[in-house]
Amino acid sequence: QQVLEIANSLDSGKVLDDNKVATRILSHLASGSRAVLSPMCATLGGMIGQEVLKACSGKFTPIQGFFYFDADETLPDTLVADASLLAPSNSRYDSQVAVFGKDMQEKL
């Protein structure tokens, strides 16, 4: 809630007014900001490593421009209402629980 209030106070262009998608993404960002999702890290790290090797070796051309990675569809439609379902339980899956909730982690 505090992140949304700060974002609304900084939103001089009123982009967030009645924008449910932006509000949902900001809420998820605040909820899972401390989470480290290993598959995402592995994917991005592999791509970055490959681009560094291309740049250093000069054998292939690195990506020229901007890389946009959108994983919005992986997030649940609504935030988990019960905060206890997002609480860490000292398991290796705590980051996934923080982002997706305990119910989704149990399904996985």
Side-chain angles (χ1 to χ4, degrees):
Q1 234 17 36
Q2 292 176 346
V3 172
L4 287 175
E5 291 171 8
I6 292 170
N8 282 325
S9 69
L10 296 173
D11 184 23
S12 60
K14 302 300 179 196
V15 175
L16 296 176
D17 288 350
D18 298 324
N19 190 341
K20 292 182 181 181
V21 174
T23 303
R24 181 177 79 82
I25 290 174
L26 274 173
S27 298
H28 281 294
L29 177 69
S31 173
S33 62
R34 291 187 170 202
V36 177
L37 299 176
S38 298
M40 292 260 194
C41 293
T43 301
L44 292 174
M47 291 181 73
I48 290 169
Q50 183 177 7
E51 294 305 308
V52 168
L53 286 174
K54 283 192 231 176
C56 292
S57 70
K59 189 169 184 179
F60 300 103
T61 305
I63 295 173
Q64 299 291 323
F66 183 75
F67 174 69
Y68 178 74
F69 180 68
D70 182 12
D72 176 43
E73 63 275 357
T74 63
L75 297 172
D77 292 332
T78 58
L79 281 175
V80 178
D82 187 5
S84 68
L85 294 176
L86 298 174
S89 59
N90 291 330
S91 79
R92 66 187 218 177
Y93 302 112
D94 282 347
S95 289
Q96 291 177 8
V97 170
V99 174
F100 304 114
K102 231 173 230 180
D103 294 336
M104 180 58 79
Q105 182 59 38
E106 287 174 4
K107 288 179 186 178
L108 292 174

